[in-house]
Amino acid sequence: MELPALIETNLPVLVVIVPLFGGLLSLFTRRTGSWAWAALVAMATFALAVLLLDRVRASEHGVIEYFLGGWPAEYGIGYRVDILNAYIILVVALIGAIVTFYARHSVNDEIPDDRHHFFYSVWLLAIAGLLGIPATGDTFNIYVLLEISSLTVYTLVAMGHHRNRRALTASLKYLILGSIGATFILLGIGYLLMLTGTLNMADMHDQLMKMKELGTLDENRTLLVAFALLMVGLSLKMALFPLHTWLPNAYTYAPSAVTAFIAATATKVGVYMAFRFIFTIFGGVYETSATGLNMLVLTICACIGIIVSSIAAIRQDNVKRILAYSSVGQLAYIVLGFSLVNQTGITASVIHIFNHAIIKGGMFMAMGCVALRMGGVTLDHVAGLGRKMPVTMAAFTIGGLGLIGVPMTSGFISKWYLVNAAIQEGLWWVAGVVLLGGMLALIYVWRVVEIIYFRAPTSDAPAREAPLGMLIPTWLLIGASIYFGINADFTASIAATAAELLMQGMN
Amino acid sequence: MDSLGYYNYWLTIAIIMIGFYGVIAKRNLVKQIIALGLFQTGVFLFYVSMGVFRKDGEDGQPPIWSPLTDENGRTVIDQAGYAVKELGVHDNPLPHVLMLTAIVVSVSTLAVAAAIVVNIKRRYQTIEEDEILAIEHSEAAGVTDPAGADPKGQIEGQTEGQTKSRIHIEDATEPEAED
C-alpha cells in the first residue's frame, strides 16, 4: 500500500520516535485524556511495527538500513532492521498496544488520578526504549536505549508503592542490579571499540573477521574480557540464574498492567541483545559450539535456573510471585535454546520469545483482573474464583497449560523445537531437564488451578466478572496462544528465517 | 615496566572496584547510590583513556580545528574567502562524546534512585538496608498482601510525620491507636 514518503523512508526510526514524543506530550493530558492519548500512540506504534515487518519482508535482501541524519556508516548511527529485528519490534509493539488498552481500568484502580499523566508518559517512554533496542544497529545506541528502557521500567515498578510499599525496595534493588549490568555491557562495548575502532555492529563483525584472518585475535585478552563482561551484563538483563534475583520482587509488587507489560517484553529484548552480541558480532570469532566452554556455561546456568526457579515457584503463596519465578524458568528455556548453537535451538529461542510473551502477558493480565475485583492476588484471594470469575480463570488456566507445554498450546511448539535441538547436539541430559521443567511447571500451575476451582472462597464477598475492557485484551493474548499452538506456520517460519540469518554469521 | 605507564587503567580498575564494593557492602541506601555513581565514573575514565594518541614522542593535542598560518604568520585564506583549517596530531574525540551521553545516563539513574530513596524514607522511616529488611521480614510473617488484608491499616505502622531514625522492630507491626 502507498504511504506518505515521510513515513516510508523513516520507518525504522519512526517506531521509536512516535512513542517517545507521545510520552513527552502525555504530560499535557489530564485524567481520562491520559489513557486515551496513550492508547492512540500505542495503536499508531503497532501500525508502524506491522508496516515495518511488511517492508522488511518485501525488501531485496530482507534488510532495511537507515542512517540517522544521513551520516554514513563509519561516522553515524545506523538502524538496521532485518527479519529478526522486525519480529521482535512487532512482538513488543503488539504487547504494548494490547496492555495499554487493558491498562485503563487497572491503572484507574491502582494509581491515584493525579498521577495518570506521569504514569502514561513513562509508560510510552518505556515502549519507545524497548522498541529502539531491536531497531538499532549501533552498539552504543543499544546501550543508551537499554538505559532508557531500564530507567522507565524502574519508575513503573516503583509506581506500585501506592498499593504496597515493597514496590519501592523492589525497584531500588532492580535499579542497582540493572545499572551494574548495564555498566558491564558498557565496559564490554568499550573493549570492543578499543579493538575494532567502530561502533556499528555489522562493521565490528567485519573488523573482527579481518583481524582473525590476520591472526591478531589469537589469545587476545581484550576480546576475551569484552566477551566476558558482555555476557555478565546480558545475563543480568535476561534474568539468567544466578543473576535473576531482582525479578521476583519487581514483578510481584509492580502495578498489574506494568507487570503484564514488562514480563512480556523487557527480558525478551535482553535476549535479543544477547543474540546480536553473540551471533552477529562475535559469530565466527570464537569456535563456539554447544560443548565449547563459552556456551556450556550458559547451558548449565540455564538448566539450573529452570529447576531452581520452578521449585521456588511451588512454594509461593502469592500468585504473581509464582508467575514471576515461572518467568525466570521460561527465560532459562529461551537461553537454553540459543546456547545449543544450532539452527533448531535458535529457532526454539525465537519462537519461545513470542509464545512466552503472549502466555505470560495473558496470565499476568488475568491476575490483574483478580487484583481489581478482589484487592489482592494471594492464594486466599483466588480461592473459589472459578465460579465467580469464570472467564478470567479460564484464561489463566489455558495460559497455565501453555506453560506446561500441553499439545495444542503454543508452549508445546517451543518445547518441541527445544528438545529436538538438544537431541541434535547429543545432549540428552538437556532434553531431560526441559521435560523435568515441564513436570515442575505442572505442579505449580496445578496447585493454583486446584485452589481456583476446588476450594471454597475465603470470603463471602460477591465478586463480579472483570470489566470487558480488561477481559478482551486478556483473551486476545490467550486466544493467540491457542491459535499459534495449533497453527504455528507464521511464527515458526519467521523464527526459522531469523535463526538462519543468525547462524550465517557463525560461519 | 611498561604497565606503569598505563596508570590510567589501574586507576580505572581501582575506582570500579571501590564503587562495586560500596554497592555490595554498604547498608545505607544513599551510600549505595553514591557508590553506584562512582562505579560508573570508573567506566568514563576508561573510555577517555582509550582515546588518547601517543606516537614516538608526539602527544595528541585536543581535537580542535585551528587556522593554518603561513611563514609570515598570516592566516591562509582559500578561494571562497574562508580561513583554511588544520588539525594536527589529535586525540580521538569519539570516546569523549560517548561518555557525555553515559554521564547523562548516570545522572538520570542517580535521579531516579534518589526519588525512590526519598519515598522509601517516607514509607519506612529509615534508609538502612538491614532495618528495612527486618521490617519486611517481620510483617511477612502472615505472608498476606498488606494491601489486601488491611489496606493502609496496621501494617503501614507509623503515621506520616514521625521521623525516628531507628525503629524498634516490635513497634513497627503494632497498630496505631488512632487508626
Side-chain angles (χ1 to χ4, degrees), chain A residues 165-456:
Chain A
R165 62 185 177 174
R166 292 201 202 190
L168 293 169
T169 46
S171 173
L172 189 66
K173 184 173 185 188
Y174 184 14
L175 187 150
I176 292 181
L177 287 175
S179 296
I180 294 179
T183 311
F184 276 127
I185 294 179
L186 182 63
L187 267 176
I189 294 175
Y191 279 107
L192 280 177
L193 173 63
M194 219 189 232
L195 263 184
T196 56
T198 174
L199 288 171
N200 190 317
M201 284 197 257
D203 205 11
M204 230 182 232
H205 178 69
D206 291 336
Q207 295 291 329
L208 284 175
M209 293 312 279
K210 277 188 213 163
M211 291 168 69
K212 184 176 182 198
E213 276 170 40
L214 290 176
T216 46
L217 280 188
D218 302 333
E219 306 293 329
N220 192 323
R221 232 183 274 165
T222 312
L223 193 67
L224 200 60
V225 171
F227 188 69
L229 287 168
L230 282 168
M231 284 323 298
V232 170
L234 288 167
S235 304
L236 199 142
K237 289 294 178 186
M238 293 192 289
L240 182 65
F241 179 90
L243 298 171
H244 67 286
T245 49
W246 55 268
L247 196 145
N249 274 343
Y251 281 19
T252 310
Y253 299 117
S256 312
V258 170
T259 312
F261 179 58
I262 61 178
T265 52
T267 33
K268 312 296 183 303
V269 169
V271 173
Y272 160 79
M273 283 179 67
F275 281 153
R276 279 291 163 229
F277 278 108
I278 297 179
F279 294 111
T280 306
I281 297 182
F282 281 96
V285 171
Y286 282 132
E287 303 301 330
T288 42
S289 66
T291 45
L293 183 63
N294 302 334
M295 289 303 153
L296 197 60
V297 171
L298 280 183
T299 312
I300 293 181
C301 281
C303 290
I304 301 180
I306 294 174
I307 298 180
V308 164
S309 66
S310 302
I311 293 179
I314 298 176
R315 297 158 36 120
Q316 301 302 323
D317 283 327
N318 183 321
V319 182
K320 268 177 94 170
R321 222 186 173 82
I322 294 179
L323 291 178
Y325 276 109
S326 163
S327 291
V328 176
Q330 299 293 316
L331 276 162
Y333 280 132
I334 298 178
V335 174
L336 192 58
F338 76 76
S339 73
L340 293 172
V341 194
N342 56 20
Q343 192 145 331
T344 325
I346 304 181
T347 312
S349 266
V350 177
I351 289 187
H352 203 45
I353 286 180
F354 180 68
N355 291 338
H356 181 237
I358 54 181
I359 292 177
K360 260 305 149 47
M363 289 178 83
F364 272 116
M365 288 205 274
M367 276 302 120
C369 296
V370 171
L372 180 74
R373 288 295 185 227
M374 302 299 293
V377 286
T378 61
L379 288 175
D380 288 332
H381 287 104
V382 302
L385 274 189
R387 214 150 295 182
K388 298 190 215 168
M389 299 175 70
V391 184
T392 316
M393 290 301 116
F396 183 84
T397 311
I398 294 178
L401 291 177
L403 282 181
I404 301 171
V406 169
M408 286 224 321
T409 61
S410 48
F412 173 71
I413 306 282
S414 327
K415 286 218 169 53
W416 176 260
Y417 275 98
L418 201 53
V419 172
N420 263 338
I423 294 179
Q424 269 181 21
E425 287 293 318
L427 295 171
W428 291 89
W429 52 278
V430 169
V433 167
V434 172
L435 296 172
L436 177 65
M439 286 195 271
L440 289 172
L442 179 67
I443 299 181
Y444 64 70
V445 166
W446 214 250
R447 180 166 172 247
V448 182
V449 170
E450 196 244 343
I451 291 179
I452 291 175
Y453 286 106
F454 299 120
R455 192 179 288 190

Side-chain angles (χ1 to χ4, degrees), chain A residues 52-95:
Chain A
L52 186 60
L53 180 64
D54 175 63
R55 289 295 182 265
V56 165
R57 286 173 105 182
S59 68
E60 4 174 327
H61 304 289
V63 173
I64 295 184
E65 286 198 344
Y66 178 85
F67 293 104
L68 264 65
W71 293 98
E74 312 87 60
Y75 305 117
I77 298 177
Y79 273 41
R80 187 175 186 280
V81 184
D82 61 18
I83 194 78
L84 173 67
N85 301 22
Y87 187 56
I88 307 269
I89 290 177
L90 183 71
V91 171
V92 175
L94 174 74
I95 305 274

Side-chain angles (χ1 to χ4, degrees), chain A residues 193, chain B residues 44 47-52 92-100:
Chain A
L193 173 63
Chain B
F44 306 153
Y47 265 77
V48 169
S49 313
M50 200 197 304
V52 165
N92 191 349
L94 179 64
H96 293 251
V97 164
L98 298 177
M99 285 306 101
L100 281 177

